[in-house]
Amino acid sequence: MGKKEILEQFSQFEIPTYEMWRKVTEESLKGAYFEKLLTHTYEEITLQPMYQRKDIEDLEFIHSLPGEAPFVRGTKKIHQQRPWEISQELDMSTPEEFNETALYDLNRGQTVLNIVVDEVTKEGKNAAEMEEQAGVSGLSISSVQDVEVALKNIDLNKIPLHIHAGALSLPLFSQILAYAQKSGQAISGCIGMDPLGELVKKGSLPCEISECYKIMADVTKWAKENAPELATVIVDSSPYHNGGANAVQELAFALATAVHYLDEMTERGISIDEAATSIRFIFSIGANFFMEIAKLRAARMLWSKIVAAFGGNEESQKMYIHARTSKWTKTKYDPYVNMLRSTSEAFAAAVGGADSIHVTPFDEPLQKSTSFSRRIARNTSIILQEEAQIGKTFDPAGGSWYVEKLTDELAQKAWSLFQEIEKRGGIVSCLQQGYVQELVRDIREKRLKNIDLRKDVFVGTNMYANIGEKPIEAKHEDDRKRLKEHIERVRTYKRVSVKLPDENKTEEAIQAAKNGATLADITDALALSAGKLKIEPIIQTRATAKFEELRDATEKYASKNGSRPKVFLANLGPIPKHKARSDFAASFVEVAGFQAVRNDGFHTAEDAVQSALESGAEITIICGNDESYEQYAKDVVAQIKARMLQMTVWLAKKPLPEEIEAYKKAGVDDFIYLGANCYEMMRKLQMEKGVASA
């Protein structure tokens, strides 16, 4: 059969309209409202169950091509096609360990050297000055000697860098560029500073913010003249994401921060094109797959609009996006599930058009990464590139009525919030007023409430917990000996006095580093004032932290007492009558690490009571259907309370208002049901049974 005949066959069928589809759908709902199919997001965007061509007919950006403003479809033209850079974070403590790991990983698929430096290095101090913190959160660098060890045998002419240098980059920047000049290598990538990102996380800065901007401009001017492939400024939205913010807030706050940096740099003599191209954006990618795709597409479009308004050319309107899979979504318990979460998030980042991606190792909430966890994370990107071939298609989600409409809605809401921030005096003013913190707090509380209620499910933590899981063994190399040796070596570095001019500090700092000046020497030479800007920091956390505290308390109790608290399931009637509520009850208590004592059911109240008393449990949950509750429940509760007053008795049911008093009078302490606050109930139970203290 030819193509023409096949098409003629299809033409015999009427193309269903939206109205026809909705009619059939409403009939299938059996009386429920169609609105039940709508999804309401934390961004206050209502997702439709079905989208139509007319939803995107008025969107101008859908006609753009890859590599064309406003860059919704990506910043590269068709002939520039290449997949994202694999930019896995490396957080080894000492230069020696870092070098070994970097060489190993670069030979196995990593394409960017993503160096995580410790807080001591970010503050511009030598390791020996703060040895308790040295190497704890990343690589410890104090001098060019350390850089030489860390980057030994790594060809920086071919391997770009990605380094978040904190609030003030010059001390670290000078050490790395001094090494590059001494070794005759050209640096590309990013060594960026993000003072407002650090302010959001910590609530203060190590110096006056105006001094940060002066150094930002100085470093950027130097890089444009001497290392044009090197970005010097970072706008990191992760502090908002890890505080619970929604996608609208992440976009608006990131754009407001970037505009603030543009203003500060252009005021100091840097052109808009130079300033815009010096900025690299970092976005964390969460669990809402399509929202995260839309977030990256909307970010590029809005940034193009902003830079154009500043008078920037089309090239400078391009946004470079480094994406990292979310810390917020990762769990400490059932950690292998994190592999699945990171895969979905990395997939969204790739489809959304990220330029580089870090995939979170599954053990991130527990320890520093191991060779195994880094390999799995790195291979996630490689599989998406080589096997799924995501990188061979420009804007894979483009043309989807859903994604295009969602991109537009998200962009409009983010733009409105961005404008509100600007009306209020800009991002710094809004942070000082607490406006930003309040917005993020509201969303975080909504998220946490839904996690408590288990409306938002985290498999293995607030739902489907496995209390029999064996914790993963910490297998990362014990670097304490190496770290001690490193700190002792740093003590031998001779301190020198460095003088830096008011202008062109970067060039002089690099020369000083080449002549032996340490990180601390460069910092001292800056003669920074004490930072006076203070704000309320945004709490950095993970979504499941509270539930993990429940489990931690129970694990500690079990270790001390030799067993977990037991919860007896008083299952009434045969299995078909109690199974649904019995399984629900077991899952409810297991998220806190309690042990559910299961059985096949009881046909009399006496049998249920006797088994409950003999089980060794101090908590009983009555499970059955409504009919069995009418027959047995009150009798079971009364008998248990008469013989063991300290027994806590719950009923697996959402009672009608008129039923509550009768059940309470019979001795029922509380009720569990779909929508009950699991966290609060289990926390209260832990305190009542001595598992945890207030």
Side-chain angles (χ1 to χ4, degrees):
M1 185 181 293
K3 204 176 277 187
K4 182 179 179 181
E5 287 80 5
I6 294 174
L7 292 174
E8 286 176 350
Q9 281 189 331
F10 278 106
S11 68
Q12 297 173 21
F13 296 94
E14 182 182 4
I15 298 175
T17 64
Y18 177 84
E19 288 69 26
M20 293 168 62
W21 171 84
R22 177 160 178 165
K23 181 180 178 182
V24 172
T25 302
E26 287 178 333
E27 290 173 356
S28 70
L29 291 174
K30 299 178 180 178
Y33 291 108
F34 180 79
E35 285 68 25
K36 183 180 179 181
L37 300 180
L38 303 178
T39 301
H40 304 285
T41 74
Y42 289 109
E43 292 75 15
E44 296 186 354
I45 292 174
T46 300
L47 303 180
Q48 301 295 322
M50 181 176 176
Y51 286 81
Q52 308 171 69
R53 183 185 298 276
K54 70 177 185 179
D55 292 324
I56 66 168
E57 286 176 348
D58 297 330
L59 305 183
E60 293 182 7
F61 67 79
I62 64 169
H63 302 293
S64 64
L65 294 174
E68 293 181 357
F71 306 110
V72 176
R73 310 207 180 284
T75 58
K76 302 179 184 70
K77 294 184 181 293
I78 297 295
H79 68 275
Q80 297 172 319
Q81 180 175 336
R82 64 174 182 173
W84 62 94
E85 295 176 311
I86 299 175
S87 182
Q88 294 298 121
E89 294 173 4
L90 300 177
D91 58 357
M92 289 66 238
S93 300
T94 65
E96 293 85 358
E97 185 187 6
F98 177 88
N99 183 254
E100 292 169 8
T101 302
L103 287 171
Y104 184 89
D105 289 5
L106 288 170
N107 286 323
R108 286 161 178 80
Q110 183 149 338
T111 59
V112 172
L113 199 58
N114 189 337
I115 305 174
V116 179
V117 294
D118 66 0
E119 290 301 314
V120 180
T121 303
K122 282 185 177 182
E123 291 184 21
K125 297 181 180 179
N126 291 349
E129 296 179 75
M130 301 174 65
E131 58 181 280
E132 292 298 319
Q133 297 179 41
V136 172
S137 56
L139 177 62
S140 173
I141 293 291
S142 297
S143 71
V144 174
Q145 292 172 251
D146 296 336
V147 179
E148 288 175 348
V149 174
L151 302 182
K152 183 180 179 182
N153 295 326
I154 296 174
D155 188 352
L156 298 181
N157 293 306
K158 297 178 180 178
I159 305 296
L161 294 177
H162 178 92
I163 303 174
H164 193 315
L168 207 65
S169 64
L170 182 56
L172 179 60
F173 187 94
S174 63
Q175 302 295 327
I176 295 173
L177 269 296
Y179 165 73
Q181 290 184 4
K182 288 176 68 176
S183 59
Q185 300 186 78
I187 300 281
S188 63
C190 178
I191 305 174
M193 58 186 287
D194 181 17
L196 292 186
E198 294 296 295
L199 179 66
V200 167
K201 287 189 292 184
K202 299 175 181 177
S204 63
L205 290 171
C207 62
E208 287 293 338
I209 195 166
S210 59
E211 294 175 318
C212 291
Y213 299 142
K214 187 175 181 179
I215 290 171
M216 178 186 288
D218 197 292
V219 171
T220 300
K221 285 178 184 177
W222 185 93
K224 289 301 177 184
E225 294 173 4
N226 300 279
E229 298 300 315
L230 187 63
T232 54
V233 182
I234 283 174
V235 174
D236 186 1
S237 73
S238 298
Y240 302 108
H241 178 94
N242 295 331
N246 62 31
V248 169
Q249 293 169 345
E250 289 178 60
L251 284 174
F253 301 153
L255 293 170
T257 299
V259 165
H260 185 68
Y261 290 165
L262 288 180
D263 284 335
E264 294 296 336
M265 285 192 282
T266 53
E267 282 182 12
R268 290 168 171 81
I270 298 177
S271 72
I272 180 58
D273 294 326
E274 290 178 332
T277 54
S278 71
I279 297 176
R280 178 171 291 195
F281 289 79
I282 299 177
F283 288 105
S284 285
I285 307 300
N288 190 335
F289 183 76
F290 290 104
M291 188 67 72
E292 298 302 319
I293 293 171
K295 182 170 78 179
L296 300 191
R297 300 172 89 244
R300 285 193 296 271
M301 177 167 62
L302 295 177
W303 180 238
S304 174
K305 180 177 181 178
I306 287 170
V307 177
F310 269 86
N313 61 35
E314 187 164 306
E315 186 64 27
S316 66
Q317 294 172 32
K318 296 178 178 179
M319 172 187 272
Y320 184 103
I321 296 177
H322 171 68
R324 86 172 314 277
T325 59
S326 173
K327 283 187 178 181
W328 168 268
T329 63
K330 303 306 177 291
T331 60
K332 188 166 78 170
Y333 287 97
D334 213 349
Y336 293 108
V337 179
N338 290 335
M339 294 183 189
L340 306 178
R341 296 185 179 109
S342 288
T343 299
S344 174
E345 292 162 2
F347 187 18
V351 173
D355 297 285
S356 63
I357 298 176
H358 161 78
V359 179
T360 307
F362 73 91
D363 53 355
E364 182 181 67
L366 296 165
Q367 62 184 15
K368 284 191 175 183
S369 61
T370 65
S371 176
F372 173 71
S373 65
R374 287 195 306 277
R375 178 169 66 88
I376 296 297
R378 185 174 63 250
N379 283 350
T380 300
S381 267
I382 295 173
I383 288 172
L384 289 174
Q385 287 183 359
E386 303 297 336
E387 297 188 24
Q389 299 186 3
I390 301 300
K392 293 187 176 181
T393 303
F394 274 93
D395 192 24
S400 161
W401 298 331
Y402 171 31
V403 175
E404 301 286 20
K405 181 64 174 176
L406 183 58
T407 299
D408 179 65
E409 289 183 297
L410 186 56
Q412 288 193 39
K413 284 185 171 291
W415 187 251
S416 294
L417 180 55
F418 165 75
Q419 289 180 312
E420 179 63 26
I421 292 168
E422 293 303 297
K423 286 178 185 177
R424 289 172 176 259
I427 188 67
V428 174
S429 178
C430 287
L431 287 168
Q432 289 177 296
Q433 297 163 16
Y435 175 68
V436 168
Q437 294 90 323
E438 182 182 355
L439 292 179
V440 174
R441 187 185 304 113
D442 287 347
I443 299 300
R444 179 174 65 244
E445 289 176 355
K446 288 178 183 178
R447 290 187 191 276
L448 295 179
K449 176 82 176 290
N450 284 336
I451 294 168
D452 289 355
L453 299 174
R454 304 201 298 177
K455 290 181 178 179
D456 289 352
V457 173
F458 284 81
V459 174
T461 303
N462 77 335
M463 190 78 84
Y464 312 120
N466 175 17
I467 64 171
E469 72 172 289
K470 294 181 180 180
I472 65 172
E473 297 179 13
K475 293 182 179 179
H476 64 280
E477 184 179 344
D478 187 348
D479 55 9
R480 285 175 295 183
K481 182 179 178 182
R482 279 184 163 184
L483 192 53
K484 184 177 180 181
E485 292 172 351
H486 168 67
I487 292 172
E488 290 304 314
R489 184 170 62 247
V490 172
R491 291 189 199 281
T492 68
Y493 295 164
K494 292 181 179 180
R495 297 293 301 275
V496 298
S497 178
V498 176
K499 291 185 179 181
L500 297 178
D502 289 338
E503 303 295 333
N504 301 318
K505 284 183 170 64
T506 304
E507 179 62 32
E508 293 299 322
I510 293 170
Q511 293 306 316
K514 288 165 72 174
N515 292 329
T518 67
L519 202 73
D521 296 330
I522 304 297
T523 303
D524 290 348
L526 292 172
L528 301 169
S529 307
K532 295 178 182 177
L533 178 59
K534 309 286 183 184
I535 67 163
E536 176 193 354
I538 291 178
I539 299 168
Q540 304 293 290
T541 185
R542 290 179 294 106
T544 57
K546 288 167 58 180
F547 274 89
E548 291 166 0
E549 289 172 2
L550 292 180
R551 284 283 294 274
D552 289 345
T554 301
E555 297 301 328
K556 186 176 180 180
Y557 175 90
S559 178
K560 181 180 178 180
N561 295 278
S563 63
R564 301 173 180 277
K566 292 181 179 179
V567 179
F568 182 77
L569 304 181
N571 297 325
L572 305 181
I575 291 174
K577 292 189 175 183
H578 69 250
K579 181 172 172 51
R581 281 173 169 159
S582 178
D583 288 346
F584 173 81
S587 174
F588 197 92
V589 300
E590 284 172 350
V591 299
F594 283 37
Q595 179 183 345
V597 181
R598 302 170 185 259
N599 51 74
D600 291 336
F602 304 97
H603 296 284
T604 67
E606 290 73 17
D607 288 344
V609 171
Q610 189 62 34
S611 294
L613 298 173
E614 293 175 353
S615 68
E618 290 189 18
I619 306 107
T620 293
I621 303 178
I622 300 173
C623 307
N625 60 15
D626 289 350
E627 181 184 351
S628 62
Y629 286 167
E630 290 178 12
Q631 284 185 280
Y632 304 118
K634 295 184 182 69
D635 192 19
V636 170
V637 180
Q639 289 190 47
I640 289 176
K641 289 290 188 176
R643 297 171 62 181
M644 189 176 175
L645 187 60
Q646 73 271 26
M647 178 77 81
T648 297
V649 181
W650 287 353
L651 185 71
K653 177 186 179 181
K654 184 175 184 178
L656 298 171
E658 60 268 23
E659 295 177 318
I660 295 176
E661 185 178 351
Y663 278 125
K664 289 280 189 179
K665 189 174 181 180
V668 172
D669 294 294
D670 218 328
F671 307 88
I672 62 170
Y673 49 86
L674 193 65
N677 193 311
C678 182
Y679 172 79
E680 288 187 0
M681 292 186 70
M682 293 309 302
R683 175 66 176 157
K684 180 182 177 183
L685 190 61
Q686 282 187 329
M687 290 189 289
E688 289 176 355
K689 301 305 177 182
V691 176
S693 56

